[in-house]
């Protein structure tokens, strides 16, 4: 019966078959309660590169894999030390159905469960609800940054002819414009990261950085009479979904902000603690925990309210909310095998404490060398021809100016079809193609495939204003040599171009002695 239901779930309307999708839940062991989406293939093991990470010494680094098949799923042991057991029977390779229990060690038990896409829809709706409530703060911050840039441009355009860029007032104005541009870019990235609907798989997440991102977002969007304080330890890591953890932190901060209509203090703390120190709270299955606390000095809650706050659609805010924020928090906490406790009383504020199993710190990497400051202008090899394709005319013109200043001959196309036609029409093919991922008529991906049919050795730099890691991976698999995310400055554009033109050399070597341009160009 379970297998028949799985097969029915794999069929789409019209009789077409779609890939099986299920959810793997940790019933017992480290990360108890975590949920993993299983689609075409998932590797289970202790390694941080696995799709399903089980931090248990008895689990092999690459223990087993689950693969989508014509009739549901198949599980295969990958030569693990202790073997893989399904429903009490050791297996090397065999079918897997909804409800089957998988044992990887004495204390690690998983179960294959149905995947409900409505859960993700609810998460996405709740994200959009939060963004809608923060819209006024977002608009206020963007207007402030636009005012700095607009006023700066007016000042620079009106300076007398005898005033040069070396003038202290001009340099200060350009520096302010750069800072405003950087702030707008950072806010836009945070906005897209929070709003995106594609929830990534579980991996090692830098929770310290995530907390700082949420704090920056909150400081720019919350009401000014709410003071925001923080104490965040460095390099706190947990295993989880960065998108969902971002949403959890944002929801708790928004809830704290709403609880202080007359102002107050929001405090976010994050620290690593021993499990034994979690007095009065259920601890996650781990030796060490990362404890997050979001505290406010707001109106607080009585006992009756505390008992209902995690119910979907229960809200004390009237029309200001749909009652999904804390229900979503509870779902994310459970999916990550974390625990949560609440401290609150009327008139004394509220504190939410969430404890996650701590993950090992990231491996330290050698610091990348940066080019020393200089006034030199980056140069491309003599005679370089570049085809630029972007549906935004201002973006095309800006890249054209930078590349021509660097010595290139530039061809322009406004969509993928025109880019392919231009490339095919040239007796001497362009040395490099720089094109946007999202264009009308033919997208960057479609144009790339057509270009590779014309010339398997075409060199392509892909550009995108979105943060979509899956599309970036697909583009790289199709042969993209470099990927640029908007906004980028002239040095980043030149580094990507030189890296694509001279694959055998590093762009850093080409750019040694070259400094950052005065202002961001794109």
């Amino acid at each position: 019966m379970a297998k028949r239901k799985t097969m029915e779930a794999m069929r789409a309307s019209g009789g077409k078959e779609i890939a099986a999708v299920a959810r793997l839940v940790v019933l017992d062991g480290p990360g108890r309660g975590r949920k993993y989406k299983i689609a075409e293939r998932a590797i289970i093991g202790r390694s941080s590169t696995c799709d399903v990470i089980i931090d248990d010494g008895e689990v092999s680094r690459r223990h087993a894999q689950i693969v989508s098949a014509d009739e549901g799923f198949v599980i295969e042991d990958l030569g693990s030390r202790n073997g893989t057991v399904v429903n009490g029977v050791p297996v090397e390779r065999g079918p897997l159905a909804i409800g089957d229990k998988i044992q990887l060690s004495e204390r690690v038990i998983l179960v294959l469960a149905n995947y409900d896409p409505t859960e993700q829809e609810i998460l996405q709706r709740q994200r959009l609800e939060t963004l809608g409530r923060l819209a006024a703060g977002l608009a206020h911050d963007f207007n402030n940054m636009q005012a700095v840039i607009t006023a700066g441009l007016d000042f620079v355009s009106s300076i007398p002819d005898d005033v040069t860029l070396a003038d202290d007032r001009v340099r200060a104005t350009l520096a302010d414009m750069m800072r405003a541009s950087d702030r707008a870019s950072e806010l836009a990235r945070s906005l897209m990261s929070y709003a995106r609907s594609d929830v990534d798989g579980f991996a090692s997440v830098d929770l310290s950085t995530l907390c700082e991102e949420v704090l920056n977002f909150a400081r720019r969007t919350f009401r000014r009479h709410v003071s925001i304080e923080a104490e965040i330890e460095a390099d706190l890591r947990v295993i989880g979904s960065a998108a969902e953890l971002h949403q959890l932190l944002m929801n708790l901060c928004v809830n704290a902000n709403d609880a202080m209509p007359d102002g107050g203090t929001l405090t976010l703390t994050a620290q690593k603690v021993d499990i034994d120190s979690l007095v009065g709270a259920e601890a996650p299955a781990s030796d060490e925990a990362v404890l997050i606390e979001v505290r406010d000095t707001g109106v607080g809650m009585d006992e009756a309210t505390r008992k209902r706050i995690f119910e979907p659609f229960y809200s004390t805010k009237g029309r200001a909310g749909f009652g999904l924020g804390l229900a979503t928090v509870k779902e994310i906490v459970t999916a990550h095998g974390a625990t949560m406790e609440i401290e609150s009383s009327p008139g004394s504020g509220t504190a939410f404490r969430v404890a996650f199993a701590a993950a090992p710190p990231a491996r330290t990497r050698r610091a990348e060398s940066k080019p020393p400051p200089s006034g030199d202008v980056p140069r491309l090899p003599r005679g370089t021809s570049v085809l630029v394709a972007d549906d935004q005319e201002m973006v095309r013109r800006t890249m054209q100016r930078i590349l021509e200043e660097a010595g290139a001959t530039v061809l322009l196309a406004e969509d993928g079809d025109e880019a392919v036609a231009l490339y095919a029409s040239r007796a001497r093919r362009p040395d490099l193609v720089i094109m946007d991922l999202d264009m009308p008529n033919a997208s960057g991906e479609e144009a790339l495939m057509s270009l590779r049919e014309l010339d398997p050795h075409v060199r392509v730099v892909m550009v995108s204003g979105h943060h979509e890691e899956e599309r970036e991976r697909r583009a790289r698999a199709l042969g993209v040599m470099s990927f640029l995310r908007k906004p980028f400055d002239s040095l980043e554009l030149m580094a990507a171009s030189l890296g694509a033109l001279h694959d055998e050399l590093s762009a850093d070597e080409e750019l040694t002695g070259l400094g950052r341009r005065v202002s961001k160009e794109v």
Side-chain angles (χ1 to χ4, degrees):
M1 178 65 71
K3 182 173 287 188
R4 184 163 61 250
K5 288 183 179 180
T6 303
M7 289 297 294
E8 290 172 355
M10 289 195 299
R11 309 282 174 177
S13 61
K16 294 182 180 179
E17 187 173 314
I18 59 174
V21 180
R23 190 183 290 279
L24 197 63
V25 182
V26 182
L27 284 184
D28 201 7
R32 182 177 60 247
R34 285 180 186 158
K35 301 176 182 179
Y36 298 84
K37 180 181 176 181
I38 306 296
E40 295 180 359
R41 179 173 179 263
I43 304 291
I44 308 170
R46 201 174 71 251
S47 170
S48 61
T49 62
C50 290
D51 303 293
V52 178
I53 303 172
I54 306 295
D55 187 18
D56 182 272
E58 297 301 313
V59 174
S60 298
R61 290 183 59 79
R62 290 169 58 88
H63 196 107
Q65 69 173 351
I66 297 176
V67 181
S68 175
D70 291 339
E71 298 184 358
F73 290 93
V74 171
I75 186 167
E76 179 182 0
D77 186 83
L78 298 178
S80 64
R81 291 196 309 269
N82 298 315
T84 300
V85 177
V86 177
N87 298 331
V89 180
V91 298
E92 292 186 2
R93 179 181 173 86
L96 196 65
I98 299 299
D100 284 350
K101 291 184 179 179
I102 307 162
Q103 185 161 3
L104 306 181
S105 72
E106 185 175 345
R107 65 172 184 153
V108 175
I109 300 175
L110 318 174
V111 64
L112 192 70
N114 281 313
Y115 174 77
D116 186 358
T118 58
E119 291 182 13
Q120 296 301 355
E121 183 177 347
I122 290 173
L123 288 175
Q124 178 63 3
R125 285 176 181 269
Q126 198 278 321
R127 288 191 195 102
L128 297 177
E129 175 202 341
T130 300
L131 289 176
R133 291 164 62 192
L134 297 176
L138 290 168
H140 176 268
D141 210 40
F142 273 119
N143 284 337
N144 282 340
M145 291 176 283
Q146 184 180 5
V148 172
I149 294 171
T150 302
L153 288 171
D154 286 341
F155 172 77
V156 172
S157 63
S158 64
I159 59 175
D161 293 340
D162 60 343
V163 177
T164 68
L165 291 177
D167 184 271
D168 289 342
R169 293 172 303 162
V170 175
R171 294 177 67 87
T173 300
L174 293 173
D176 285 343
M177 292 166 62
M178 173 69 81
R179 281 192 289 270
S181 174
D182 286 339
R183 286 185 61 188
S185 300
E186 181 184 334
L187 187 57
R189 281 193 296 270
S190 297
L191 194 59
M192 288 190 295
S193 175
Y194 182 71
R196 65 193 178 105
S197 60
D198 57 314
V199 176
D200 43 5
F202 278 23
S204 180
V205 177
D206 184 344
L207 204 57
S208 301
T209 299
L210 213 58
C211 286
E212 296 292 351
E213 289 179 2
V214 169
L215 284 169
N216 288 336
F217 196 70
R219 288 185 176 112
R220 294 173 183 176
T221 56
F222 287 5
R223 300 185 304 275
R224 296 298 184 261
H225 61 280
V226 171
S227 173
I228 298 177
E229 300 178 356
E231 188 173 342
I232 312 296
E233 285 187 13
D235 201 23
L236 297 174
R237 303 193 77 87
V238 300
I239 301 298
S241 160
E244 290 189 355
L245 292 173
H246 192 290
Q247 185 169 8
L248 177 147
L249 290 167
M250 197 71 222
N251 285 3
L252 290 178
C253 288
V254 168
N255 188 74
N257 179 64
D258 290 344
M260 298 180 287
D262 299 322
T265 301
L266 186 161
T267 305
L268 173 61
T269 60
Q271 59 184 322
K272 185 178 285 189
V273 298
D274 292 329
I275 292 298
D276 295 339
S277 68
L278 296 176
V279 179
E282 182 186 359
S286 178
D287 296 329
E288 286 187 311
V290 173
L291 182 64
I292 303 290
E293 181 182 91
V294 178
R295 178 180 290 274
D296 66 66
T297 58
V299 296
M301 295 180 285
D302 57 26
E303 181 66 23
T305 302
R306 285 204 308 272
K307 288 181 178 179
R308 299 194 61 191
I309 57 173
F310 297 118
E311 294 178 14
F313 307 110
Y314 175 74
S315 176
T316 60
K317 303 169 188 174
R319 294 184 179 182
F322 293 103
L324 291 175
L326 291 178
T328 301
V329 166
K330 179 65 173 176
E331 174 66 21
I332 294 172
V333 167
T334 301
H336 284 74
T339 61
M340 179 166 54
E341 67 168 342
I342 307 163
E343 173 191 321
S344 185
S345 60
S348 300
T350 300
F352 286 85
R353 299 186 189 93
V354 184
F356 300 89
R363 295 178 181 177
T364 56
R365 296 180 178 178
R366 187 181 63 182
E368 296 181 2
S369 59
K370 294 184 178 180
S374 170
D376 295 338
V377 177
R379 304 293 298 175
L380 292 170
R382 183 178 301 174
T384 298
S385 173
V386 183
L387 170 58
V388 173
D390 196 295
D391 59 314
Q392 297 296 316
E393 184 181 0
M394 286 190 296
V395 175
R396 292 197 304 272
R397 286 203 311 264
T398 301
M399 286 197 282
Q400 180 183 17
R401 283 195 293 267
I402 296 169
L403 293 165
E404 287 180 344
E405 179 69 17
T409 301
V410 180
L411 304 171
L412 298 178
E414 63 182 30
D415 58 43
D417 283 343
E418 187 179 357
V420 174
L422 261 177
Y423 193 91
S425 68
R426 308 297 291 185
R428 177 182 178 271
R429 297 281 169 79
D431 300 296
L432 177 66
V433 178
I434 303 175
M435 63 181 173
D436 191 58
L437 189 59
D438 294 291
M439 295 184 290
N441 298 327
S443 68
E445 292 157 319
E446 292 167 336
L448 174 60
M449 289 187 284
S450 297
L451 288 172
R452 289 189 67 80
E453 289 179 4
L454 289 170
D455 180 4
H457 304 293
V458 61
R459 296 175 180 271
V460 177
V461 173
M462 198 69 82
V463 180
S464 178
H466 301 285
H467 183 179
E468 297 174 299
E469 293 182 357
E470 181 56 35
R471 289 188 74 187
E472 181 176 337
R473 281 193 292 268
R474 290 202 304 267
R476 290 187 184 277
L478 289 171
V480 167
M481 305 191 73
S482 186
F483 206 97
L484 270 176
R485 289 177 182 164
K486 297 175 183 176
F488 51 83
D489 60 29
S490 55
L491 187 60
E492 290 166 333
L493 175 61
M494 295 307 301
S497 300
L498 287 164
L501 286 168
H502 301 297
D503 202 26
E504 69 278 6
L505 297 175
S506 73
D508 282 345
E509 291 172 336
E510 290 284 345
L511 288 170
T512 298
L514 302 177
R516 183 185 179 93
R517 295 291 290 272
V518 174
S519 66
K520 288 213 169 185
E521 299 281 0
V522 178

